[in-house]
């Protein structure tokens, strides 16, 4: 059974940094498309960043170069380094994975409907 567990969230002031981690277990597929999503109160879920088997990455425009997605295959862990955080980054952040060999590029995550597994999410709160 595949499990994704997020960690690293919390509360920081605007301008600060956080690094989210997503530990994956039970995933046996040779290909993957992994992504971070977030959902702010009263808003729809949106994709934030993705990475695929070939190491391609993609980001939503609102990130404006402040976030970086990466992976450590040896640790089966996905990361999201978030810098220069803004109050509008406040949201629940979710990691998700799809076994499809799907290319990652900005917006390729769509609504996230093709993702096979999701973490339970972790809260990020940015105060002004």
């Amino acid at each position: 059974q595949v499990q994704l567990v997020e960690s690293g969230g919390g509360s920081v002031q605007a301008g600060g940094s956080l690094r989210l981690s997503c530990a994956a277990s039970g995933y046996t597929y040779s290909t993957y498309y992994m992504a971070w999503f977030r959902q702010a109160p009263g808003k729809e879920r949106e994709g934030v960043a993705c990475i695929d088997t070939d190491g391609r990455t993609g980001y939503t425009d609102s990130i404006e170069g402040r976030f970086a997605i990466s992976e450590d295959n040896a640790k089966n862990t996905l990361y999201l380094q978030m810098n220069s955080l803004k109050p509008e980054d406040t949201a629940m952040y979710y990691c998700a994975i799809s076994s499809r060999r799907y290319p990652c590029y900005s917006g390729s995550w769509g609504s996230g409907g093709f993702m096979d597994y999701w973490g339970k999410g972790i809260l990020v709160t940015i105060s002004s």
Side-chain angles (χ1 to χ4, degrees):
Q1 182 178 359
V2 176
Q3 288 190 323
L4 302 176
V5 180
E6 300 95 340
S7 61
S11 299
V12 297
Q13 290 189 328
S17 298
L18 285 172
R19 187 176 80 157
L20 302 183
S21 300
C22 173
S25 61
Y27 189 82
T28 60
Y29 299 97
S30 60
T31 60
Y32 57 85
Y33 174 107
M34 296 194 74
W36 289 96
F37 293 80
R38 67 184 180 184
Q39 187 166 20
K43 295 188 177 181
E44 293 187 353
R45 184 178 66 197
E46 64 170 346
V48 175
C50 64
I51 188 167
D52 65 24
T53 306
D54 297 318
R56 290 171 293 210
T57 59
Y59 300 91
T60 187
D61 291 343
S62 64
I63 300 305
E64 301 170 326
R66 299 180 293 120
F67 293 6
I69 190 171
S70 62
E71 58 186 349
D72 184 332
N73 290 328
K75 295 182 178 179
N76 293 326
T77 302
L78 177 72
Y79 301 100
L80 184 68
Q81 178 67 45
M82 305 187 295
N83 300 322
S84 301
L85 284 160
K86 303 176 180 181
E88 50 264 44
D89 294 318
T90 295
M92 283 291 290
Y93 283 72
Y94 302 87
C95 66
I97 189 169
S98 171
S99 60
R100 301 183 188 188
R101 191 174 184 87
Y102 193 74
C104 165
Y105 53 89
S106 179
S108 57
W109 45 76
S111 64
F114 67 94
M115 308 304 286
D116 298 313
Y117 305 99
W118 292 82
K120 293 183 178 181
I122 194 161
L123 182 62
V124 170
T125 304
I126 312 302
S127 58
S128 58

